[in-house]
Amino acid sequence: MQIFRDIAGLKTFLNTWRKEGKSIGFVPTMGALHNGHLSLIEASKSKCDLTVCSIFINPTQFNDSKDFEKYPRTVDNDLILLQKYNCDVVFCPTDDIMYPEKTQLQIHFGYLEHIMEGKHRPGHFSGVGLIVAKLFHVVQPDLAFFGQKDLQQFMILDRLTKDLLFDIELVCCPIIREEDGLAMSSRNQRLSKIERLEAVALFQALQLAKEHLLNGKNITETKKIIYNFFEEKKSIHLEYFEIVDRNSLQSIEESIQKNQQLALCIAAYIGEIRLIDNIIINY
């Protein structure tokens, strides 16, 4: 496994492979790796000749400075895991490498940045788009792999890739869950034992909503059931629960079309830890 901390060395190495006609897969991460990230490494290795993983905690996508400060930093362990999963290349730049000057650029994504995650985390997606664009320019992968848990982020990056004419195929990989259904997340590491047990309520709520929708409940009735579900969970603060079209993320307020693919999306605080989740259903 090759580890690079500078852009020039990484580019030189990757160009050698590119000249040989080898395909390059890319998995951008912020570290604190878990099985969800590692499933992306496996997906990349199954489709590409060379897999690159980046580890960089991007400061511009945090709208809460305390969240940035407390984000898990486990680089040594991350490298051990990546070695175990036969990742070929790891890019671990510093802030000074990725942001040699204070950035002035803002990226706007239209309605996608004003709903759900964008609504509750102003500026977040501008920071995500900025760092991913930088990483795409550096790595120049053929395929890039992202997890479905960050579904709205995937849609944002799909828009970025198309609008900036990146010649990169984006792959959305399934959510990897714990045995009780909790979606794997780096932030799970910050949960106390009690909070960890409570956190499964997000997945339970999504399953409850799915059941009611498929049994004929309408959007309004289903949302009311979920809001009531969380009213009984005093230790959890529901930030949003939305039923949206899978392909556009546009909110569905009234009737659902036959054969429409839906995304049920949720965000909640368990103590001070914010978690998100979603499931996709065919109606």
Side-chain angles (χ1 to χ4, degrees):
M1 186 172 74
Q2 299 288 322
I3 301 174
F4 294 93
R5 302 186 186 278
D6 68 296
I7 292 174
L10 175 65
K11 280 189 170 183
T12 299
F13 180 84
L14 294 180
N15 283 339
T16 301
W17 280 77
R18 201 172 282 111
K19 288 176 182 178
E20 295 178 0
K22 304 293 187 181
S23 60
I24 297 173
F26 181 41
V27 180
T29 81
M30 293 204 299
L33 302 184
H34 50 71
N35 285 344
H37 296 111
L38 297 173
S39 73
L40 303 182
I41 299 295
E42 290 181 324
S44 176
K45 290 188 69 65
S46 72
K47 293 178 179 291
C48 303
D49 298 311
L50 187 79
T51 292
V52 181
C53 177
S54 65
I55 299 175
F56 179 68
I57 302 176
N58 176 41
T60 65
Q61 71 186 66
F62 287 83
N63 59 312
D64 181 348
S65 60
K66 291 183 179 179
D67 189 26
F68 174 68
E69 293 168 3
K70 294 180 179 180
Y71 195 87
R73 289 162 169 81
T74 60
V75 175
D76 291 342
N77 188 60
D78 294 340
L79 293 176
I80 291 171
L81 287 172
L82 291 172
Q83 178 81 59
K84 180 180 178 181
Y85 276 74
N86 299 314
C87 183
D88 301 298
V89 178
V90 184
F91 181 43
C92 298
T94 62
D95 289 3
D96 290 341
I97 293 292
M98 297 311 298
Y99 295 99
E101 298 180 6
K102 184 177 180 180
T103 184
Q104 302 296 317
L105 181 65
Q106 296 288 317
I107 305 177
H108 300 285
F109 293 95
Y111 80 93
L112 282 173
E113 68 177 82
H114 298 296
I115 60 173
M116 295 190 295
E117 291 300 288
K119 178 180 179 180
H120 293 279
R121 302 182 68 186
H124 169 66
F125 284 128
S126 177
V128 169
L130 180 61
I131 191 59
V132 172
K134 285 173 177 273
L135 290 169
F136 279 178
H137 277 299
V138 171
V139 179
Q140 298 178 38
D142 297 286
L143 288 85
F145 298 81
F146 300 90
Q148 180 195 312
K149 184 175 75 68
D150 298 295
L151 179 62
Q152 188 174 358
Q153 173 179 279
F154 183 83
M155 299 290 287
I156 287 282
L157 296 178
D158 184 58
R159 186 76 271 147
L160 177 86
T161 302
K162 290 174 179 175
D163 285 356
L164 296 184
L165 301 180
F166 282 114
D167 188 17
I168 301 170
E169 178 184 346
L170 302 192
V171 181
C172 187
C173 298
I175 296 173
I176 304 299
R177 299 184 179 277
E178 304 286 358
E179 289 186 5
D180 61 2
L182 177 67
M184 291 189 177
S185 169
S186 299
R187 288 186 169 85
N188 291 352
Q189 297 180 24
R190 296 178 56 200
L191 297 170
S192 69
K193 290 184 178 180
I194 294 176
E195 288 170 340
R196 168 62 186 83
L197 293 174
E198 295 169 336
V200 72
L202 274 72
F203 181 64
Q204 291 172 342
L206 292 174
Q207 293 296 104
L208 181 64
K210 174 183 176 179
E211 178 184 349
H212 284 291
L213 286 169
L214 295 181
N215 284 333
K217 295 285 188 184
N218 62 33
I219 297 291
T220 301
E221 290 172 325
T222 301
K223 283 187 173 183
K224 185 176 181 180
I225 289 168
I226 299 306
Y227 293 141
N228 290 339
F229 174 82
F230 279 102
E231 282 184 2
E232 299 176 2
K233 308 286 184 182
K234 302 302 181 183
S235 59
I236 301 178
H237 170 65
L238 178 65
E239 191 167 67
Y240 67 76
F241 168 69
E242 296 292 343
I243 300 171
V244 300
D245 180 84
R246 161 63 180 88
N247 297 311
S248 68
L249 297 193
Q250 293 279 13
S251 180
I252 302 172
E253 300 296 340
E254 297 180 1
S255 60
I256 304 171
Q257 303 300 315
K258 186 177 180 180
N259 297 323
Q260 186 172 16
Q261 197 172 47
L262 309 178
L264 314 186
C265 303
I266 194 168
Y269 280 90
I270 293 85
E272 64 174 19
I273 312 304
R274 184 178 186 274
L275 300 178
I276 63 173
D277 199 355
N278 69 81
I279 59 173
I280 294 171
I281 64 174
N282 295 310
Y283 191 75

